[in-house]
Amino acid sequence: MTQAPAPPRAARRQHDREIVALAAPAFGALVAEPLFVMADSAIVGHLGTAQLAGLGVASALLMTAVSVFVFLAYATTAGVARRVGAGELPAAIRQGMDGIWLALLLGAAVIAVVLPTAPALVELFGASDTAAPYATTYLRISALGIPAMLVVLAATGVLRGLQDTKTPLYVAIGGFIANAALNAGLVYGADLGIAGSAWGTVIAQCGMAAVYLAVVVRGARRHGASLRPDAAGIRASAQAGAPLLVRTLSLRAILVIATAVAARLGDADIAAHQIILSLWSLLAFALDAIAIAGQAIIGRYLGAEDVQGARAVCRRMVEWGVAVGVALGLLVLITRPVFLTLFTSDLGVKDAALPALVIVAVSQPICGVVFVLDGVLMGAGDGPYLAWAMLLTLAVFAPVALLVPVVGGGLTALWMAMTLMMAMRMLTLWLRTRSGRWLVTGATR
């Protein structure tokens, strides 16, 4: 990265236009899931602290079950973009269809695991006796929407690789509005409590998946790409995503450990952690919007064998990541008291969350660099390095986080450990990007 000379002013403007054209709409699609959780948290939070604590445990488990398969979006984006850069559009869409079939198979497998083990999973997370029943109810119902969530990931990856982030934006807006309306209606109108929140999210996710499938299938037919499942193609998609699966499992393990530690600090702390984690996820996806643009642009440049273009856009995206991170950090500092009031009236939850939010705000520029470089290396197909780097980060984070209940410091100390984790990620990603070993050209890596 640092070896690339600063691009001329005209080239910088071109990169800026490309980044904004892809990143601005990508933000809408990326924030769909955290906005779903935030809407659920705002609605369920007013049912009571025990319900919000239960939602915190269940949503962490649910997001783990779904997010471990985020390679369905990221690997597909990189692979499709490379083929687009090489001028192989039908092959690009066919590769995307293989990812969608893989998503359906994985979704069915996850449901089969989660439904019978929900109570044990909730207990493993250390949920209190008052929060556990609510967590189990929410988890079992929401698990039914997992196949739809995975299809959304895969289909979004296809469209991003085709340099289309506007369609995911429109679907995300519709899904968020439907989710909020369904949650409010089912929780309060139908008096279903936390179960209504879960059903509202499932229905909204299924609707989003149906729209994505209609768009992708129409594109496949237009370009003569087969819609039938192909065993070899599905297997190739799984193999390409395996390193990213390891990377994502390591990241999810970090978030699981953080939630488990917060749960053992008490109901007020886990409720506050749930609110903060929802905000942190939203901020992360805002930063990752730049990275998504990078995946599509980097993949296209490398597919077209333009190494200098890839280097230049990488440098520019890092500058964007730092600037956006600073802006988001200032926004969190200014709005944190108002933000907390939206989710809870419990003074104990607010007291636990306020100082931890300061740590979250200060860490945002670091997060900006991390998410951008992560996206650059994903777009280059550098999955094996990302897997090893995240395993190393997990090894550093786990012992530090597990010491929090022993040494004290509460939720603030836990989020200091989270900031250490992000700093470790920044170091490993910067070293790899600086080396230039990720710059492999061609239609396939």
Side-chain angles (χ1 to χ4, degrees), residues 14-294:
Q14 178 185 348
H15 293 322
D16 287 345
R17 285 194 296 268
E18 282 189 308
I19 293 168
V20 172
L22 290 172
F27 174 77
L30 283 168
V31 300
E33 189 59 34
L35 282 178
F36 278 21
V37 176
M38 290 179 74
D40 290 356
S41 298
I43 293 171
V44 172
H46 293 286
L47 293 174
T49 300
Q51 287 91 333
L52 183 58
L55 174 64
V57 173
S59 62
L61 283 164
L62 182 66
M63 291 181 71
T64 298
V66 174
S67 297
V68 294
F69 301 117
V70 73
F71 70 84
L72 290 167
Y74 292 155
T76 302
T77 298
V80 170
R82 274 183 177 269
R83 291 190 179 277
V84 168
E88 301 177 3
L89 189 56
I93 298 176
R94 175 65 258 182
Q95 185 170 344
M97 288 302 305
D98 292 334
I100 290 173
W101 280 110
L102 178 61
L104 289 170
L105 293 174
L106 291 173
V110 172
I111 287 180
V113 172
V114 171
L115 286 182
T117 62
L121 291 171
V122 168
E123 182 179 359
L124 181 65
F125 261 58
S128 67
D129 291 339
T130 56
Y134 297 111
T136 300
T137 296
Y138 190 92
L139 180 60
R140 277 182 163 159
I141 296 172
S142 295
L144 300 176
I146 288 176
M149 296 179 192
L150 298 190
V151 167
V152 167
L153 286 176
T156 300
V158 177
L159 295 178
R160 290 174 187 162
L162 294 171
Q163 317 293 297
D164 175 13
T165 56
K166 290 184 179 179
T167 299
L169 169 63
Y170 302 144
V171 178
I173 292 173
F176 173 69
I177 293 172
N179 178 70
L182 286 165
N183 271 259
L186 293 174
V187 171
Y188 297 112
D191 199 26
L192 294 179
I194 197 169
S197 177
W199 280 117
T201 299
V202 169
I203 295 169
Q205 290 283 2
C206 288
M208 291 174 66
V211 174
Y212 273 120
L213 284 174
V215 172
V216 174
V217 167
R218 183 169 63 248
R221 287 175 173 167
R222 183 168 61 249
H223 293 285
S226 174
L227 298 174
R228 295 181 179 180
D230 176 67
I234 294 172
R235 186 166 53 250
S237 294
Q239 291 172 347
L244 291 180
L245 176 60
V246 173
R247 170 254 180 205
T248 304
L249 281 172
S250 301
L251 177 58
R252 294 311 304 179
I254 288 170
L255 299 180
V256 167
I257 290 170
T259 300
V261 169
R264 284 163 173 77
L265 296 175
D267 279 2
D269 286 283
I270 183 59
H273 179 73
Q274 167 60 20
I275 294 171
I276 294 172
L277 192 60
S278 297
L279 174 64
W280 191 77
S281 298
L282 177 61
L283 297 174
F285 280 116
L287 292 167
D288 209 23
I290 306 170
I292 292 301

Side-chain angles (χ1 to χ4, degrees), residues 398-422:
V400 175
L402 293 173
L403 282 174
V404 169
V406 178
V407 302
L411 198 62
T412 302
L414 177 60
W415 278 93
M416 286 180 177
M418 291 286 286
T419 301
L420 171 65
M421 176 270 295
M422 294 302 292

